[in-house]
Amino acid sequence: MRRALASLCAVAVWLAGCATNPATGEKQFSLISEGQEIQMGLEADPSIVGSMGLDPDSGRQRYVRELGLRLARVSERPNLPWTFRVIDDPVVNAFAVPGGHIYVTRGILAHLNSEAELASVLGHEIGHVTARHSVTQMSRQQIAQLGLVVGTVLKPELSRYAGIAAQGLGILFLKYSRDDESQADRLGLRYIRRGGYDAHRMPEVFSLLERVSQASGGGRVPEWLATHPNPGNRRGAIEQQIAALPAESLGTVVNRDPYLRRIDGVVFGDNPRDGFFKGTAFFQPDLRFRITFPQGWATQNQRQAVLGVSAQQDALMQLSLSEQATPEAAAQAFFAQQGVRGAPGRGSIHGFAAAGGAFSALTEDSTALAGKVVFVAYDGRIYQLLAYAPQPRWSAYAGVADQAIASFDRLTDAAILAVQPWRVQLVSLPQAMTIEDFARRYPAPVPPATMALVNNVDPGTRFGSGTLVKRIVGLPLP
Ligand SMILES: [Zn+2]
């Protein structure tokens, strides 16, 4: 595909853009100018930050930003408006958006073990940007769709559910080709060498990601591997490149301990303060409410909404915040939407003022929906509880949806209100010990295999006295 585009360059040079890429030296054909690319990134970045959230630790943000900028400045596109952010997400992931916006999750930070490894991840992502991998894949239509990242298609509130945001972001997470991956690896290697980092740490990152992938039982592939496929042997390929380089050009900086000190205290795994499920019961300790979704439904706690989907995937329920000041105003606004019919009334749920009722709606593609929406005032906020299905299927769900909506209540369980996330905590070993000894001596809410994983060592590995080792601290969910 890439090759075909390159030969197209010759005849299409008068079109929008055919230029030699400064990083790869290849002729590249793109409908997107650098100015558009930058604009695209500037528009996407707030959407990503808004929908995924940032790690609240400003010291960690600054550390990653400064490291990223050092590497970007030695790249072939130093003048892009580069940003480097830590996303508040437990999955092991890193990704880049055209125009120079790069994101690493707190999940990948918890698993990396040195600044050189982090530099390898950032260098690889910088490589995707300097080589314009996403940009060359995008069509004009996709660019147009980017405007929808936080927009809506269906107009009514209903559309909020429809995963529009996820679809918009999905465009940014195009799966890279095998060639793109190899090229980003090569460029990443170039940048970390220019930054003085020990290139031998880069293959370590591939091992780590493989371990994380294996540990998740093949079920939950780390996101990084999902968008950055590993069809060939990337580790082997990069090791060969390193072996072919003069030893003195490889850099020596590893910065293991300084890196570990930066991630001391980072949240590990899902943060229950963001809300969590036990079965289909959902608890939100910060907002102090609970609600129980219908039995057997699949559930998901997203940043801006809590979702439930019926087993047949033909009915949906969503809890989110309304921007209106009162339940009545929120209900009025909902029922005033084009295509929405119904007569809202007033009531209460567990003593909290509520307004809403049954509705029917026509989507823009003329699908008839039926459902129920209730807005409830609780603790200074207006919550929207919305359930719906295609019109012919609704009668099968109206009963369980009613029950679920009526289950919204204050959260009073003291243990749940006080729940805290697990965190990475550094231990300076008082004496030499194996990772198994370590796991016994420093109990954790995760199995010893996970302790080996986050320290990127094999079971049986022995640490010397004074070594900094990560442990996970925290309690099981109440
Ligand atoms: Zn990649």
Side-chain angles (χ1 to χ4, degrees), residues 192-209:
I192 65 168
R193 286 173 61 216
R194 287 178 183 172
Y197 288 99
D198 179 2
H200 294 105
R201 307 316 298 173
M202 193 170 183
E204 277 303 305
V205 176
F206 296 133
S207 315
L208 165 75
L209 292 168

Side-chain angles (χ1 to χ4, degrees), residues 111 211 215 435-436 439 446-459:
H111 283 81
R211 283 175 205 256
I435 185 76
E436 286 78 8
V446 297
T450 304
M451 303 282 269
L453 183 70
V454 296
N455 285 290
N456 199 24
V457 294
D458 291 314

Side-chain angles (χ1 to χ4, degrees), residues 124-125 128 176 181 184 228 234:
H124 174 97
E125 298 301 333
H128 279 308
Y176 297 115
E181 282 311 292
H228 301 65
R234 287 172 59 194

Side-chain angles (χ1 to χ4, degrees), residues 212-463:
V212 173
S213 173
Q214 283 160 7
S216 57
R220 197 177 174 198
V221 177
E223 300 294 322
W224 199 72
L225 287 183
T227 48
H228 301 65
N230 187 14
N233 184 345
R234 287 172 59 194
R235 184 188 168 115
I238 210 77
E239 278 175 339
Q240 276 180 6
Q241 289 170 44
I242 293 170
L245 292 166
E248 65 276 11
S249 75
L250 289 182
T252 53
V253 178
V254 175
N255 281 354
R256 180 180 189 273
D257 288 4
Y259 172 81
L260 292 177
R261 292 215 165 81
R262 288 292 181 177
I263 61 149
D264 195 7
V266 72
V267 171
F268 187 81
D270 289 319
N271 187 343
R273 302 295 318 170
D274 296 335
F276 63 93
F277 277 99
K278 292 177 84 167
T280 56
F282 179 77
F283 304 93
Q284 217 315 339
D286 281 349
L287 301 176
R288 308 170 76 88
F289 74 81
R290 57 172 297 165
I291 187 168
T292 304
F293 282 70
Q295 288 302 312
W297 284 32
T299 55
Q300 196 179 23
N301 178 24
Q302 296 187 344
R303 197 166 181 83
Q304 285 152 339
V306 188
L307 304 174
V309 180
S310 66
Q312 286 77 39
Q313 303 198 346
D314 56 353
L316 314 151
M317 180 166 160
Q318 172 194 342
L319 178 150
S320 56
L321 283 167
S322 164
E323 282 158 16
Q324 301 288 334
T326 64
E328 291 76 17
Q332 227 163 44
F334 182 92
F335 282 88
Q337 294 172 103
Q338 201 179 357
V340 176
R341 288 160 179 272
R346 291 179 185 199
S348 70
I349 296 179
H350 289 115
F352 308 118
F359 67 88
S360 61
L362 266 188
T363 64
E364 283 192 349
D365 66 356
S366 296
T367 308
L369 302 175
K372 183 166 181 177
V373 66
V374 172
F375 297 90
V376 57
Y378 170 64
D379 207 13
R381 296 180 181 83
I382 308 296
Y383 289 87
Q384 176 189 265
L385 308 168
L386 171 68
Y388 65 95
Q391 218 274 327
R393 302 290 307 135
W394 176 243
S395 60
Y397 294 108
V400 292
D402 264 349
Q403 243 181 2
I405 289 172
S407 73
F408 182 91
D409 200 357
R410 60 168 65 80
L411 178 58
T412 54
D413 184 314
I416 292 180
L417 288 170
V419 71
Q420 289 300 323
W422 300 348
R423 293 182 186 275
V424 171
Q425 188 180 81
L426 292 183
V427 176
S428 178
L429 292 190
Q431 64 196 67
M433 64 181 79
T434 66
I435 185 76
E436 286 78 8
D437 294 336
F438 181 78
R440 268 191 297 277
R441 180 149 172 179
Y442 300 96
V446 297
T450 304
M451 303 282 269
L453 183 70
V454 296
N455 285 290
N456 199 24
V457 294
D458 291 314
T461 299
R462 194 172 175 81
F463 296 114

Side-chain angles (χ1 to χ4, degrees), residues 139-177:
S139 68
R140 278 190 191 281
Q141 191 201 354
Q142 286 173 322
I143 301 165
Q145 283 177 25
L146 275 176
L148 296 174
V149 166
V150 287
T152 58
V153 170
L154 305 178
K155 292 286 186 287
E157 287 277 303
L158 300 176
S159 62
R160 283 224 187 135
Y161 159 76
I164 301 303
Q167 283 174 22
L169 292 175
I171 292 163
L172 300 171
F173 302 146
L174 294 171
K175 198 167 170 171
Y176 297 115
S177 71

